[in-house]
Amino acid sequence: VGFQKILTLTYVDKLIDDVHKEFRDKYRNEFQQKGALGLLNGTFDFKDDFMRLLRDAEESSKVRAPTVMKTFEQSLKSQKTVKCMIETRGEKPKEKVKNKKNKGSKKDGTEAVAAPSKASAGDKQLSAAGDKEELTKDEILQKNREEFFRRHMKAGEKSRSPKPDTQKEKGKKPRVWDLGNSNAKVLDYSNSATNGSAEACPVEEFDPDTALGDKNREPGRLYDLEYESDDEAEEEKVVQNPSKPSVKKGGLGGMFGMLKGLVGSKSLTREDMDPVLEKMKDHLIAKNVAAEIAVQLCESVAKKLEGKVMGTFTTVTSTVKQALQEALVQILQPQRRVDVLRDVMDAQRHRRPYVITFCGVNGVGKSTNLAKISFWLIENGFSVLIAACDTFRAGAVEQLRTHTRRLNALHPPESHGGRTMVQLYEKGYGKDAAGIAMEAISYARNQGFDVVLVDTAGRMQDNAPLMTALAKLIAVNAPDLVLFVGEALVGNEAVDQLVKFNKALADHSMAQTPRLIDGIVLTKFDTIDDKVGAAISMTYITSKPIVFVGTGQTYCDLRSLNAKAVVAALMKA
């Protein structure tokens, strides 16, 4: 009874009824005399009766009459006449149509039984009518068509919807997104007045909060990069953790075990530092430091500490970690520090524009961070001319034009004594980038612009023709600052990019002292959490400072590098 889906027994229902009746009849008197308590306290000997009823039910299920095939007289085919079974080419017999309808109506039991009798009665009427009056083929076809149209006209009138008064417009309609701009004129740059000229772009109205982000910021200030490190107590706990298990042994043995982990006024050897340095190297590589540079850093720390006499209560791990932190901070603080605002003011005294050229591989964020630096310079009171020298990538000029409109909306000329603070100089696509940069610098000198920001096309470090063109642009125009834009997501690739960019600038330069990369813009820093190793790799290779750090999508997401914050993130376990 409980497992009917697993074991199908056809006699179960009959067996239950028989057992119920047999039990009721056998013990009826006891139920009436003793009542409900008798059921709980009484005993019933019913096993033999149940087995007998089970055997009877099983035997009755086995004895079944075999299925007998229908005779010809019982079939539907015997009820049809010979004439209605004759088929003519090109004519569809009505009997087959009716039989199909009968097959479709077999879902209802009563209709399925009535359908054959109706079909046979209709056949007899048709055969009788055929005997009385013979119809030609054309007449039969015409009659069938009339019945068909008459039957479907009623259904067609109900389902037919009235035609709309306005005809449907031909052609494909553009999709309008919920958060998009439905005004197509805003997106049409085909007949732009600024293409090929240095005139200011029209001012665009938009919400300044979406472009600025932080409302409580101080205008014109470049904030330091911040990193929330763990408490000093937790860090001290991590350093002293390897020596704690020996204390648990208790007594003098625990005390001597702890003292054994201390150096105790002896000089460090390479064997003492190798296990710690190996762990430090793996840790640096896990934090996106290039493998080659991680090895060199550990080697330099080992040479610096080898033979050094340590204090009594200092472990090897804490000594190596402290030395590595000092080395990393020294790497991130190069000897030459780039002060852009001071250099711009110095160029103002000489009545010439200060020129910054941006270069780097594809997709690292050169144009976006150029716009951030423009905003920072404008807030410090300097006028900016953007030179669109990326004449290769589709949409590069339009991207800079959009940034120019946004920056002019944030700092309109009315707020600066009628002076337009940012303009775009562009000559379209397919032109010589070095020539456009030269014209832009000359235009900025004549118009009194303070800073010229030159945007170049992204190029891979292995592409010799493009690297030659970049070296030509830098050699011809002699910018005051060459910034390499690199993303913080890369690891070993950062070394390859910077080495080959510097090599290409040196090889393809026509001057005796070639112009190389002066500084680095580290982008996408908000996407890496504590894997900040790219900053170490880039500064170690070039010995050049990281001037700007991009930390987001708004114009205010620009920071200066804080070496201690980066090292704290790098050394975090």
Side-chain angles (χ1 to χ4, degrees), residues 287-303:
K287 291 298 180 76
N288 256 5
V289 178
E292 179 184 353
I293 294 174
V295 173
Q296 293 177 10
L297 280 171
C298 292
E299 285 292 328
S300 64
V301 170
K303 290 179 181 178

Side-chain angles (χ1 to χ4, degrees), residues 292-400:
E292 179 184 353
I293 294 174
V295 173
Q296 293 177 10
L297 280 171
C298 292
E299 285 292 328
S300 64
V301 170
K303 290 179 181 178
K304 181 180 178 181
L305 293 179
E306 193 171 4
K308 185 177 180 180
V309 178
M310 308 306 298
T312 305
F313 294 99
T314 308
T315 61
V316 177
T317 303
S318 61
T319 304
V320 173
K321 185 176 181 181
Q322 183 65 29
L324 185 60
Q325 286 179 339
E326 292 174 0
L328 293 173
V329 171
Q330 189 175 1
I331 289 171
L332 292 173
Q333 292 178 342
Q335 297 177 356
R336 180 179 179 269
R337 189 171 185 270
V338 177
D339 192 340
V340 177
L341 297 181
R342 182 195 61 192
D343 295 341
V344 171
M345 288 187 287
D346 185 61
Q348 276 183 328
R349 287 192 292 270
H350 293 84
R351 295 183 180 181
R352 66 174 184 84
Y354 184 80
V355 183
I356 303 176
T357 300
F358 296 83
C359 62
V361 300
N362 309 71
V364 293
K366 292 184 293 299
S367 302
T368 303
N369 285 273
L370 181 145
K372 294 180 186 179
I373 295 171
S374 300
F375 178 76
W376 173 66
L377 290 169
I378 292 168
E379 289 207 326
N380 282 280
F382 300 114
S383 58
V384 178
L385 180 67
I386 300 175
C389 295
D390 184 356
T391 61
F392 177 75
R393 176 171 65 90
V397 177
E398 287 77 10
Q399 182 182 4
L400 292 176

Side-chain angles (χ1 to χ4, degrees), residues 384-494:
V384 178
L385 180 67
I386 300 175
C389 295
D390 184 356
T391 61
F392 177 75
R393 176 171 65 90
V397 177
E398 287 77 10
Q399 182 182 4
L400 292 176
R401 188 180 294 137
T402 301
H403 281 306
T404 306
R405 285 203 307 269
R406 291 288 179 94
L407 292 170
N408 279 322
L410 291 170
H411 289 278
E414 295 79 17
S415 302
H416 298 274
R419 183 186 184 189
T420 303
M421 297 303 291
V422 57
Q423 290 187 21
L424 176 66
Y425 191 91
E426 51 102 353
K427 292 293 183 182
Y429 295 96
K431 307 293 186 353
D432 180 34
I436 296 175
M438 181 180 291
E439 293 177 14
I441 295 170
S442 176
Y443 179 84
R445 185 181 294 108
N446 296 332
Q447 297 296 324
F449 282 93
D450 299 321
V451 183
V452 178
L453 303 181
V454 181
D455 183 34
T456 62
R459 63 205 74 208
M460 295 306 294
Q461 63 270 20
D462 298 322
N463 195 323
L466 294 181
M467 294 304 299
T468 305
L470 178 64
K472 173 189 172 185
L473 185 148
I474 294 174
V476 168
N477 295 285
D480 297 283
L481 187 65
V482 179
L483 293 179
F484 176 83
V485 184
E487 58 184 4
L489 299 169
V490 296
N492 293 327
E493 185 69 10

Side-chain angles (χ1 to χ4, degrees), residues 147-416:
E147 290 180 0
F148 176 79
F149 285 117
R150 188 166 53 251
R151 189 163 56 249
H152 287 278
M153 280 298 289
K154 294 182 179 180
E157 290 175 359
K158 294 179 181 179
S159 62
R160 190 179 302 156
S161 60
K163 292 184 179 179
D165 297 335
T166 58
Q167 294 183 353
K168 187 177 180 181
E169 296 181 3
K170 294 183 179 180
K172 187 176 180 181
K173 291 184 178 181
R175 174 177 290 182
V176 180
W177 299 98
D178 295 337
L179 300 178
N181 194 344
S182 59
N183 188 5
K185 293 181 180 179
V186 179
L187 304 175
D188 186 12
Y189 300 113
S190 57
N191 297 322
S192 176
T194 59
N195 191 21
S197 67
E199 298 178 1
C201 296
V203 177
E204 180 180 351
E205 295 182 359
F206 70 105
D207 184 10
D209 293 339
T210 59
L212 298 181
D214 187 8
K215 298 179 182 179
N216 301 322
R217 63 184 183 83
E218 181 182 342
R221 179 181 175 184
L222 191 64
Y223 289 89
D224 287 340
L225 192 68
E226 296 179 356
Y227 177 75
E228 296 180 359
S229 60
D230 298 334
D231 296 332
E232 294 182 1
E234 293 183 2
E235 293 180 359
E236 197 67 28
K237 186 178 179 180
V238 172
V239 173
Q240 298 295 339
N241 195 30
S243 62
K244 280 190 176 181
S246 59
V247 181
K248 294 181 181 179
K249 296 178 181 179
L252 296 174
M255 182 61 67
F256 285 125
M258 184 185 70
L259 294 174
K260 188 183 291 186
L262 304 175
V263 177
S265 299
K266 78 162 193 175
S267 59
L268 278 174
T269 61
R270 190 61 182 263
E271 289 76 15
D272 296 330
M273 294 183 290
D274 278 345
V276 180
L277 289 173
E278 188 66 25
K279 291 182 180 179
M280 290 294 179
K281 183 191 73 173
D282 295 340
H283 178 77
L284 292 175
I285 294 173
K287 291 298 180 76
N288 256 5
V289 178
E292 179 184 353
I293 294 174
V295 173
Q296 293 177 10
L297 280 171
C298 292
E299 285 292 328
S300 64
V301 170
K303 290 179 181 178
K304 181 180 178 181
L305 293 179
E306 193 171 4
K308 185 177 180 180
V309 178
M310 308 306 298
T312 305
F313 294 99
T314 308
T315 61
V316 177
T317 303
S318 61
T319 304
V320 173
K321 185 176 181 181
Q322 183 65 29
L324 185 60
Q325 286 179 339
E326 292 174 0
L328 293 173
V329 171
Q330 189 175 1
I331 289 171
L332 292 173
Q333 292 178 342
Q335 297 177 356
R336 180 179 179 269
R337 189 171 185 270
V338 177
D339 192 340
V340 177
L341 297 181
R342 182 195 61 192
D343 295 341
V344 171
M345 288 187 287
D346 185 61
Q348 276 183 328
R349 287 192 292 270
H350 293 84
R351 295 183 180 181
R352 66 174 184 84
Y354 184 80
V355 183
I356 303 176
T357 300
F358 296 83
C359 62
V361 300
N362 309 71
V364 293
K366 292 184 293 299
S367 302
T368 303
N369 285 273
L370 181 145
K372 294 180 186 179
I373 295 171
S374 300
F375 178 76
W376 173 66
L377 290 169
I378 292 168
E379 289 207 326
N380 282 280
F382 300 114
S383 58
V384 178
L385 180 67
I386 300 175
C389 295
D390 184 356
T391 61
F392 177 75
R393 176 171 65 90
V397 177
E398 287 77 10
Q399 182 182 4
L400 292 176
R401 188 180 294 137
T402 301
H403 281 306
T404 306
R405 285 203 307 269
R406 291 288 179 94
L407 292 170
N408 279 322
L410 291 170
H411 289 278
E414 295 79 17
S415 302
H416 298 274

